[in-house]
Amino acid sequence: MLRIHFTGVDLARVRMAARPDALWETILSFHRLRDRRDARLFGEWRTETRSRLNGETRLLGALIPGRGYFPDFLTPVEGQYGWDVGLDALRGIRPERMRRELALLGTGAGLGAAFGMPSGVSDGADTLVPRRLREFMDGGTKYLPRLLAELRGYHRAAVEPYWTHIQAQIEAERAARGRDLLDGGADELLASLPPTLRWRAPVLECDYPVDRDVRLRGRGLLLQPSFFCRRTAVTLQDPELPPVLVYPAAAQLASTTPGGEVTRPVEEHRQRTLGKLVGHTRSVVLRAIGDGATTSELARRAGVSLASASQHACVMREAGLVTTLRRGNAVLHTVTPLGAALLKGGAVAS
């Protein structure tokens, strides 16, 4: 069991991630790709992803075992700000930290620390992992370009085609947890997390392969919902890094197709339907607002002129699809519940 210990200051510093973390989703999806479980949810995704994978992933396979510890440097905290920002942070990893974490993985110490397994445990394809890790460690940061290339290629095949759906799931999770926070504060937020996480103030208990205590010491906790995280939550091994808890988004199962598959084809159908209803450009603009955008940001995301973005936002505001608030010299556009329901192809919650 994982126990996360809070102080009063930590409760005041609990926060929800603003968006899905592309690096966490990419790394965790690599686990899902090799895991045969949850076929109803991930079966079609696995088939489609494997059909698109035509690049090298052996280095990823060495760094991300089928179970257990993988290096913390693969999921830098900067990843919460976007894919490119996360890759830049990974590119700038300090050589000594990289060697330390690779040594932890290569000796099996990290595996044992995370999952209670003896040092050197290996099975199947993982037999060759120590040799590949040794090459990486001996080569130092010169192997980083190859790692980044593999990450990009895998991300394009496995995560990028489904990103709209992943974003929708995390937004739904954020909305649900945000309502809990508004209704009952951080205490209610922590109590509302999925059943594998149990809030027994001042400790958050999580189902976990081994016994471990994490003390926040006034640093707070970033809650990062994830589409590809399954069953148990995940946290960083190094207790000195900024605390983060990655947990399964509760919304993911509620929004699959009747057969349980990831709903990218359904999402594409909704986009075509929305385009017929409000016009292609306006549907693009509405989607581009996301979790909020100024007029300049909206124009850039949608690929239209500033004047066009302003005009489209005005029309949608009059139709009740968008709300506009002034913030200093700029205005912030956000999607209303009616607009969100239109985007998702459902009814407005009463």
Side-chain angles (χ1 to χ4, degrees):
M1 179 181 294
L2 172 67
R3 290 174 294 273
I4 302 178
H5 299 262
F6 289 74
T7 65
V9 174
D10 293 313
L11 280 174
R13 292 179 176 174
V14 172
R15 58 209 185 277
M16 287 290 297
R19 58 188 63 83
D21 187 310
L23 274 169
W24 272 109
E25 296 293 351
T26 300
I27 300 303
L28 293 174
S29 77
F30 199 73
H31 282 285
R32 300 289 78 78
L33 186 66
R34 296 179 293 179
D35 188 350
R36 296 182 180 179
R37 294 174 292 181
D38 301 311
R40 291 187 61 204
L41 181 60
F42 295 112
E44 182 179 341
W45 167 79
R46 289 187 183 110
T47 300
E48 293 182 355
T49 295
R50 288 183 180 123
S51 71
R52 283 190 295 265
L53 273 177
N54 54 12
E56 177 63 71
T57 60
R58 283 184 296 180
L59 185 53
L60 283 180
L63 294 177
I64 310 170
R67 54 179 178 165
Y69 171 83
F70 56 83
D72 290 338
F73 68 73
L74 291 175
T75 52
V77 66
E78 292 86 354
Q80 65 182 296
Y81 303 114
W83 172 252
D84 291 332
V85 178
L87 287 187
D88 284 343
L90 180 52
R91 187 180 294 109
I93 187 71
R94 298 190 308 276
E96 59 271 20
R97 177 185 169 186
M98 187 183 73
R99 284 193 295 269
R100 182 175 67 250
E101 294 184 7
L102 289 175
L104 191 63
L105 175 63
T107 61
L111 195 66
F115 281 80
M117 298 169 61
S119 177
V121 168
S122 177
D123 58 29
D126 288 343
T127 303
L128 296 178
V129 167
R131 178 178 61 80
R132 292 175 186 155
L133 287 177
R134 176 55 58 188
E135 291 174 355
F136 200 141
M137 293 171 65
D138 291 344
T141 55
K142 80 173 187 179
Y143 278 95
L144 274 178
R146 175 182 162 189
L147 173 60
L148 292 170
E150 286 194 19
L151 272 172
R152 288 193 192 95
Y154 175 77
H155 176 81
R156 280 195 297 267
V159 177
E160 193 174 86
Y162 308 92
W163 192 246
T164 298
H165 178 70
I166 292 169
Q167 283 181 307
Q169 302 313 294
I170 304 311
E171 276 302 312
E173 175 71 15
R174 277 174 47 81
R177 301 290 80 79
R179 179 171 296 182
D180 294 324
L181 180 63
L182 289 173
D183 289 346
D187 193 73
E188 182 67 21
L189 166 63
L190 294 171
S192 72
L193 293 172
T196 55
L197 292 84
R198 296 167 297 279
W199 174 237
R200 296 189 171 103
V203 178
L204 181 64
E205 297 178 350
C206 314
D207 290 349
Y208 210 64
V210 295
D211 214 39
R212 183 182 175 194
D213 288 273
V214 173
R215 301 186 184 278
L216 299 178
R217 305 194 308 271
R219 295 173 296 169
L221 180 67
L222 175 66
L223 294 171
Q224 178 68 65
S226 167
F227 180 80
F228 284 107
C229 182
R230 299 291 291 152
R231 295 180 183 83
T232 59
V234 185
T235 191
L236 298 171
Q237 178 71 12
D238 188 345
E240 299 307 314
L241 292 172
V244 58
L245 185 68
V246 182
Y247 70 92
Q252 59 178 297
L253 291 177
S255 61
T256 54
T257 65
E261 295 86 1
V262 177
T263 57
R264 183 176 59 88
V266 174
E267 194 70 29
E268 291 172 350
H269 172 71
R270 287 176 180 167
Q271 290 181 26
R272 290 194 298 268
T273 302
L274 179 60
K276 292 177 182 177
L277 180 63
V278 299
H280 174 71
T281 302
R282 201 155 288 159
S283 71
V284 170
V285 171
L286 184 60
R287 286 187 179 280
I289 292 175
D291 56 0
T294 65
T295 304
S296 297
E297 291 169 343
L298 185 56
R300 184 169 62 253
R301 294 178 191 175
V304 298
S305 68
L306 194 63
S308 179
S310 179
Q311 181 184 24
H312 285 305
C314 179
V315 171
M316 290 189 290
R317 181 170 61 252
E318 292 173 352
L321 303 178
V322 169
T323 297
T324 301
L325 299 174
R326 179 161 293 280
R327 299 183 63 188
N329 295 326
V331 293
L332 180 68
H333 307 290
T334 57
V335 177
T336 66
L338 177 60
L342 184 62
L343 287 171
K344 295 176 182 179
V348 182
S350 59

